[in-house]
mmCIF file of all heavy atoms in Angstrom:
data_model
loop_
_atom_site.group_PDB
_atom_site.id
_atom_site.type_symbol
_atom_site.label_atom_id
_atom_site.label_comp_id
_atom_site.label_asym_id
_atom_site.label_seq_id
_atom_site.Cartn_x
_atom_site.Cartn_y
_atom_site.Cartn_z
ATOM 1 N N LYS A 41 -69.218 63.648 -1.343
ATOM 2 C CA LYS A 41 -70.077 63.571 -2.525
ATOM 3 C C LYS A 41 -71.080 64.734 -2.520
ATOM 4 O O LYS A 41 -71.367 65.321 -3.560
ATOM 5 C CB LYS A 41 -70.810 62.226 -2.551
ATOM 6 C CG LYS A 41 -71.824 62.065 -3.677
ATOM 7 C CD LYS A 41 -71.178 61.993 -5.063
ATOM 8 C CE LYS A 41 -72.249 61.724 -6.126
ATOM 9 N NZ LYS A 41 -71.707 61.666 -7.478
ATOM 10 N N GLY A 46 -72.530 70.102 -4.676
ATOM 11 C CA GLY A 46 -72.656 71.536 -4.458
ATOM 12 C C GLY A 46 -71.715 72.339 -5.334
ATOM 13 O O GLY A 46 -72.083 73.363 -5.904
ATOM 14 N N ASN A 48 -70.708 71.641 -8.179
ATOM 15 C CA ASN A 48 -71.124 71.598 -9.579
ATOM 16 C C ASN A 48 -72.342 72.459 -9.862
ATOM 17 O O ASN A 48 -72.836 72.463 -10.983
ATOM 18 C CB ASN A 48 -71.380 70.158 -10.005
ATOM 19 C CG ASN A 48 -70.086 69.408 -10.261
ATOM 20 O OD1 ASN A 48 -69.236 69.875 -10.996
ATOM 21 N ND2 ASN A 48 -69.932 68.267 -9.625
ATOM 22 N N ASN A 66 -89.572 56.187 -3.706
ATOM 23 C CA ASN A 66 -90.668 55.962 -4.656
ATOM 24 C C ASN A 66 -90.192 55.144 -5.851
ATOM 25 O O ASN A 66 -90.225 55.606 -6.985
ATOM 26 C CB ASN A 66 -91.218 57.310 -5.122
ATOM 27 C CG ASN A 66 -91.865 58.085 -3.996
ATOM 28 O OD1 ASN A 66 -93.000 57.802 -3.597
ATOM 29 N ND2 ASN A 66 -91.137 59.040 -3.449
ATOM 30 N N ASP A 76 -71.549 43.838 -15.032
ATOM 31 C CA ASP A 76 -71.757 42.493 -15.540
ATOM 32 C C ASP A 76 -70.483 41.775 -15.949
ATOM 33 O O ASP A 76 -70.529 40.665 -16.419
ATOM 34 C CB ASP A 76 -72.689 42.538 -16.761
ATOM 35 C CG ASP A 76 -72.137 43.441 -17.838
ATOM 36 O OD1 ASP A 76 -71.283 44.279 -17.534
ATOM 37 O OD2 ASP A 76 -72.560 43.302 -18.983
ATOM 38 N N GLU A 78 -66.427 40.746 -14.776
ATOM 39 C CA GLU A 78 -65.359 40.703 -13.772
ATOM 40 C C GLU A 78 -65.810 41.346 -12.464
ATOM 41 O O GLU A 78 -65.089 42.123 -11.857
ATOM 42 C CB GLU A 78 -64.117 41.420 -14.286
ATOM 43 C CG GLU A 78 -63.554 40.784 -15.540
ATOM 44 C CD GLU A 78 -62.364 41.546 -16.068
ATOM 45 O OE1 GLU A 78 -61.439 41.777 -15.288
ATOM 46 O OE2 GLU A 78 -62.378 41.904 -17.241
ATOM 47 N N HIS A 99 -80.138 71.991 -15.679
ATOM 48 C CA HIS A 99 -78.927 72.507 -15.041
ATOM 49 C C HIS A 99 -78.490 73.844 -15.630
ATOM 50 O O HIS A 99 -77.994 74.715 -14.910
ATOM 51 C CB HIS A 99 -77.794 71.484 -15.180
ATOM 52 C CG HIS A 99 -78.020 70.242 -14.392
ATOM 53 N ND1 HIS A 99 -77.033 69.306 -14.171
ATOM 54 C CD2 HIS A 99 -79.122 69.750 -13.770
ATOM 55 C CE1 HIS A 99 -77.502 68.308 -13.446
ATOM 56 N NE2 HIS A 99 -78.771 68.546 -13.188
ATOM 57 N N ARG A 101 -80.425 76.181 -17.249
ATOM 58 C CA ARG A 101 -81.359 77.282 -17.012
ATOM 59 C C ARG A 101 -81.703 77.443 -15.540
ATOM 60 O O ARG A 101 -82.332 78.415 -15.143
ATOM 61 C CB ARG A 101 -82.634 77.070 -17.838
ATOM 62 C CG ARG A 101 -82.371 77.084 -19.322
ATOM 63 C CD ARG A 101 -83.658 76.846 -20.134
ATOM 64 N NE ARG A 101 -83.359 76.816 -21.557
ATOM 65 C CZ ARG A 101 -82.970 75.724 -22.217
ATOM 66 N NH1 ARG A 101 -82.845 74.570 -21.583
ATOM 67 N NH2 ARG A 101 -82.694 75.792 -23.512
ATOM 68 N N GLN A 111 -87.199 58.311 -19.914
ATOM 69 C CA GLN A 111 -86.038 58.078 -19.069
ATOM 70 C C GLN A 111 -86.473 57.736 -17.650
ATOM 71 O O GLN A 111 -87.571 58.092 -17.216
ATOM 72 C CB GLN A 111 -85.121 59.313 -19.045
ATOM 73 C CG GLN A 111 -84.508 59.631 -20.395
ATOM 74 C CD GLN A 111 -83.582 60.834 -20.366
ATOM 75 O OE1 GLN A 111 -83.015 61.176 -19.328
ATOM 76 N NE2 GLN A 111 -83.419 61.479 -21.514
ATOM 77 N N ASN A 118 -74.064 51.144 -2.492
ATOM 78 C CA ASN A 118 -73.076 50.068 -2.375
ATOM 79 C C ASN A 118 -73.364 49.150 -1.182
ATOM 80 O O ASN A 118 -74.379 49.308 -0.487
ATOM 81 C CB ASN A 118 -71.652 50.636 -2.328
ATOM 82 C CG ASN A 118 -71.334 51.354 -1.020
ATOM 83 O OD1 ASN A 118 -72.107 51.291 -0.054
ATOM 84 N ND2 ASN A 118 -70.206 52.033 -0.988
ATOM 85 N N PHE A 124 -73.951 56.285 -3.728
ATOM 86 C CA PHE A 124 -72.741 56.933 -4.201
ATOM 87 C C PHE A 124 -72.887 57.593 -5.568
ATOM 88 O O PHE A 124 -72.041 58.406 -5.952
ATOM 89 C CB PHE A 124 -71.561 55.943 -4.225
ATOM 90 C CG PHE A 124 -71.734 54.802 -5.194
ATOM 91 C CD1 PHE A 124 -71.307 54.914 -6.511
ATOM 92 C CD2 PHE A 124 -72.321 53.623 -4.772
ATOM 93 C CE1 PHE A 124 -71.461 53.854 -7.402
ATOM 94 C CE2 PHE A 124 -72.483 52.554 -5.660
ATOM 95 C CZ PHE A 124 -72.058 52.676 -6.975
ATOM 96 N N TRP A 128 -79.970 60.076 -14.706
ATOM 97 C CA TRP A 128 -81.041 59.707 -15.613
ATOM 98 C C TRP A 128 -80.466 58.772 -16.677
ATOM 99 O O TRP A 128 -79.311 58.924 -17.090
ATOM 100 C CB TRP A 128 -81.606 60.946 -16.314
ATOM 101 C CG TRP A 128 -82.386 61.861 -15.430
ATOM 102 C CD1 TRP A 128 -81.933 62.962 -14.772
ATOM 103 C CD2 TRP A 128 -83.787 61.764 -15.121
ATOM 104 N NE1 TRP A 128 -82.960 63.554 -14.064
ATOM 105 C CE2 TRP A 128 -84.106 62.846 -14.267
ATOM 106 C CE3 TRP A 128 -84.810 60.879 -15.499
ATOM 107 C CZ2 TRP A 128 -85.397 63.068 -13.776
ATOM 108 C CZ3 TRP A 128 -86.092 61.093 -15.005
ATOM 109 C CH2 TRP A 128 -86.372 62.175 -14.159
ATOM 110 N N VAL B 2 -94.797 57.713 -1.671
ATOM 111 C CA VAL B 2 -94.443 57.577 -0.263
ATOM 112 C C VAL B 2 -93.610 58.765 0.152
ATOM 113 O O VAL B 2 -92.657 59.130 -0.511
ATOM 114 C CB VAL B 2 -93.614 56.282 -0.045
ATOM 115 C CG1 VAL B 2 -93.131 56.197 1.383
ATOM 116 C CG2 VAL B 2 -94.437 55.071 -0.413
ATOM 117 N N ALA B 21 -72.952 75.983 -5.186
ATOM 118 C CA ALA B 21 -72.167 77.123 -5.642
ATOM 119 C C ALA B 21 -73.074 78.147 -6.303
ATOM 120 O O ALA B 21 -74.046 77.791 -6.961
ATOM 121 C CB ALA B 21 -71.106 76.640 -6.628
ATOM 122 N N ARG B 29 -64.010 69.091 -14.950
ATOM 123 C CA ARG B 29 -63.654 68.847 -13.555
ATOM 124 C C ARG B 29 -63.938 67.394 -13.221
ATOM 125 O O ARG B 29 -64.798 66.763 -13.827
ATOM 126 C CB ARG B 29 -64.438 69.773 -12.619
ATOM 127 C CG ARG B 29 -65.947 69.643 -12.778
ATOM 128 C CD ARG B 29 -66.628 71.010 -12.786
ATOM 129 N NE ARG B 29 -68.083 70.859 -12.909
ATOM 130 C CZ ARG B 29 -68.740 70.980 -14.069
ATOM 131 N NH1 ARG B 29 -68.110 71.288 -15.179
ATOM 132 N NH2 ARG B 29 -70.058 70.808 -14.115
ATOM 133 N N ASN B 33 -64.762 59.057 -6.462
ATOM 134 C CA ASN B 33 -65.752 58.643 -5.475
ATOM 135 C C ASN B 33 -65.321 57.290 -4.921
ATOM 136 O O ASN B 33 -65.478 56.262 -5.575
ATOM 137 C CB ASN B 33 -67.118 58.537 -6.167
ATOM 138 C CG ASN B 33 -68.255 58.280 -5.201
ATOM 139 O OD1 ASN B 33 -68.067 57.641 -4.177
ATOM 140 N ND2 ASN B 33 -69.433 58.759 -5.556
ATOM 141 N N ASP B 35 -66.556 55.543 -2.542
ATOM 142 C CA ASP B 35 -67.637 54.625 -2.182
ATOM 143 C C ASP B 35 -68.092 53.790 -3.377
ATOM 144 O O ASP B 35 -68.642 52.703 -3.203
ATOM 145 C CB ASP B 35 -68.825 55.400 -1.612
ATOM 146 C CG ASP B 35 -68.502 56.058 -0.281
ATOM 147 O OD1 ASP B 35 -68.078 55.329 0.636
ATOM 148 O OD2 ASP B 35 -68.629 57.286 -0.169
ATOM 149 N N GLU B 40 -66.047 60.601 -11.559
ATOM 150 C CA GLU B 40 -67.000 61.394 -12.338
ATOM 151 C C GLU B 40 -66.243 62.526 -13.007
ATOM 152 O O GLU B 40 -65.463 63.224 -12.364
ATOM 153 C CB GLU B 40 -68.074 61.987 -11.428
ATOM 154 C CG GLU B 40 -69.273 61.094 -11.238
ATOM 155 C CD GLU B 40 -70.488 61.886 -10.769
ATOM 156 O OE1 GLU B 40 -70.453 62.430 -9.652
ATOM 157 O OE2 GLU B 40 -71.457 61.955 -11.535
ATOM 158 N N SER B 47 -77.603 69.498 -18.390
ATOM 159 C CA SER B 47 -78.269 68.323 -17.823
ATOM 160 C C SER B 47 -77.950 67.130 -18.714
ATOM 161 O O SER B 47 -77.778 67.283 -19.926
ATOM 162 C CB SER B 47 -79.779 68.525 -17.783
ATOM 163 O OG SER B 47 -80.114 69.696 -17.081
ATOM 164 N N ALA B 50 -77.234 59.165 -18.810
ATOM 165 C CA ALA B 50 -76.072 58.283 -18.856
ATOM 166 C C ALA B 50 -76.335 57.084 -19.752
ATOM 167 O O ALA B 50 -77.446 56.563 -19.803
ATOM 168 C CB ALA B 50 -75.729 57.809 -17.450
ATOM 169 N N ARG B 52 -74.256 53.450 -20.648
ATOM 170 C CA ARG B 52 -73.103 52.585 -20.433
ATOM 171 C C ARG B 52 -72.550 52.148 -21.789
ATOM 172 O O ARG B 52 -73.284 51.613 -22.618
ATOM 173 C CB ARG B 52 -73.542 51.368 -19.627
ATOM 174 C CG ARG B 52 -72.469 50.385 -19.298
ATOM 175 C CD ARG B 52 -73.096 49.150 -18.659
ATOM 176 N NE ARG B 52 -72.110 48.110 -18.412
ATOM 177 C CZ ARG B 52 -71.639 47.280 -19.338
ATOM 178 N NH1 ARG B 52 -72.093 47.342 -20.561
ATOM 179 N NH2 ARG B 52 -70.744 46.368 -19.034
ATOM 180 N N GLN B 63 -78.811 66.423 -22.410
ATOM 181 C CA GLN B 63 -80.235 66.159 -22.632
ATOM 182 C C GLN B 63 -80.743 66.864 -23.888
ATOM 183 O O GLN B 63 -81.627 66.373 -24.565
ATOM 184 C CB GLN B 63 -81.065 66.608 -21.415
ATOM 185 C CG GLN B 63 -80.877 65.766 -20.156
ATOM 186 C CD GLN B 63 -81.642 64.443 -20.185
ATOM 187 O OE1 GLN B 63 -82.211 64.048 -21.193
ATOM 188 N NE2 GLN B 63 -81.657 63.737 -19.054
ATOM 189 N N GLU B 64 -80.206 68.034 -24.170
ATOM 190 C CA GLU B 64 -80.665 68.789 -25.347
ATOM 191 C C GLU B 64 -79.713 68.633 -26.518
ATOM 192 O O GLU B 64 -80.144 68.421 -27.651
ATOM 193 C CB GLU B 64 -80.804 70.272 -24.993
ATOM 194 C CG GLU B 64 -81.944 70.559 -24.034
ATOM 195 C CD GLU B 64 -82.057 72.040 -23.728
ATOM 196 O OE1 GLU B 64 -81.913 72.870 -24.640
ATOM 197 O OE2 GLU B 64 -82.268 72.368 -22.545
ATOM 198 N N GLN B 82 -55.081 46.022 -13.398
ATOM 199 C CA GLN B 82 -55.011 45.247 -14.640
ATOM 200 C C GLN B 82 -54.037 45.880 -15.615
ATOM 201 O O GLN B 82 -53.231 45.185 -16.247
ATOM 202 C CB GLN B 82 -56.390 45.161 -15.293
ATOM 203 C CG GLN B 82 -57.356 44.238 -14.605
ATOM 204 C CD GLN B 82 -58.768 44.345 -15.167
ATOM 205 O OE1 GLN B 82 -59.071 45.238 -15.963
ATOM 206 N NE2 GLN B 82 -59.630 43.444 -14.749
#
Side-chain angles (χ1 to χ4, degrees):
Chain A
K41 175 68 176 179
N48 283 309
N66 295 282
D76 57 341
E78 299 177 53
H99 292 192
R101 297 179 182 86
Q111 295 181 25
N118 71 10
F124 64 89
W128 290 94
Chain B
V2 175
R29 57 223 181 262
N33 187 329
D35 294 304
E40 271 200 295
S47 304
R52 181 187 175 281
Q63 290 282 8
E64 291 181 41
Q82 286 171 351

